Amino acid sequence: MSLKNQADQPNANSVYETERLIIRPVSVEDRAFFFELYNRPKFIQYIGDRHIKTIDDAENYIKNRFLPQLEKTGFGNYLVVTKDTNEKIGAVGIFEREGLDILDIGFSLLEEFEGKGYAYEAALKVKSIGMDDFGLKKISAITSKNNFSSQNLIKKLGLTFKNHVTLPNEDEELMYFETE
């Protein structure tokens, strides 16, 4: 087995494409988008309140939560942008989460872009990035018990329900899925 040339290795600056999407690492320039996304009622209901009340809060969240993991592991949270209109429509990523031993895939879209297959297309690509490019053996996913669309997408990605978990400093019991 030959090792990939270092120039061929994925890194924190790698940009990926699917048929309809550009998937690129999150940057501080995306702060206004994350302020909007993270304050949408569905995001707060299904994913949680990240207490981002200003654009500065969003910038600090990106700097303190997303960029360190990208720099450390080479992967993390990615912005999802449409190729045809160049619109920022959501985010997808693989995350280190306190309370989970296996890295977690997560995704969120603005509601107006749901139901078009974008979340699946982006999540499938990021799952491939994690497993094929970075050599992850397993990926997990968590979702609330009443988020049926996320549960369906997670199953479509090939993850299987294992049990219920409660993350540290959280009250809600979540459904936990994992690749076989």
Side-chain angles (χ1 to χ4, degrees):
M1 181 173 114
S2 63
L3 292 173
K4 284 185 177 178
N5 184 332
Q6 187 63 33
D8 295 336
Q9 292 287 353
N11 62 57
N13 298 314
S14 294
V15 175
Y16 304 93
E17 291 188 28
T18 65
E19 184 181 338
R20 302 179 296 165
L21 303 171
I22 297 167
I23 300 169
R24 67 160 175 80
V26 168
S27 72
V28 291
E29 287 75 32
D30 302 318
R31 61 189 171 267
F33 176 77
F34 277 91
F35 173 77
E36 179 183 357
L37 178 65
Y38 281 26
N39 282 292
R40 291 282 181 105
K42 277 181 90 172
F43 186 96
I44 292 170
Q45 176 186 357
Y46 289 125
I47 299 174
D49 187 349
R50 299 296 186 246
H51 306 289
I52 295 174
K53 304 303 177 202
T54 66
I55 301 289
D56 285 344
D57 289 347
E59 181 173 335
N60 289 328
Y61 197 87
I62 291 167
K63 286 179 179 176
N64 297 322
R65 299 291 287 271
F66 297 150
L67 298 184
Q69 182 187 320
L70 272 167
E71 290 165 11
K72 182 174 103 177
T73 65
F75 57 85
N77 201 11
Y78 298 90
L79 190 72
V80 179
V81 181
T82 59
K83 282 184 178 178
D84 59 350
T85 60
N86 202 37
E87 283 182 272
K88 297 176 181 181
I89 65 168
V92 61
I94 297 175
F95 305 98
E96 297 177 314
R97 283 202 207 279
E98 188 180 356
L100 295 182
D101 295 331
I102 297 173
L103 295 172
D104 167 62
I105 191 166
F107 44 85
S108 57
L109 289 184
L110 297 172
E111 292 96 341
E112 55 268 33
F113 296 98
E114 291 177 355
K116 300 176 185 342
Y118 290 130
Y120 175 71
E121 190 174 325
L124 188 64
K125 181 64 176 180
V126 168
K127 178 186 173 202
S128 166
I129 292 164
M131 298 186 94
D132 300 337
D133 297 356
F134 287 95
L136 300 178
K137 302 292 181 229
K138 287 188 172 196
I139 290 179
S140 70
I142 51 175
T143 188
S144 61
K145 293 176 184 176
N146 59 352
N147 192 345
F148 302 111
S149 60
S150 280
Q151 292 168 33
N152 291 334
L153 193 153
I154 290 165
K155 290 173 189 171
K156 192 174 176 183
L157 288 172
L159 283 75
T160 305
F161 174 75
K162 297 293 184 185
N163 57 12
H164 292 94
V165 298
T166 304
L167 298 180
N169 305 312
E170 299 287 335
D171 297 326
E172 183 182 7
E173 189 177 64
L174 302 170
M175 296 178 73
Y176 175 83
F177 297 79
E178 198 175 278
T179 51
E180 293 299 324

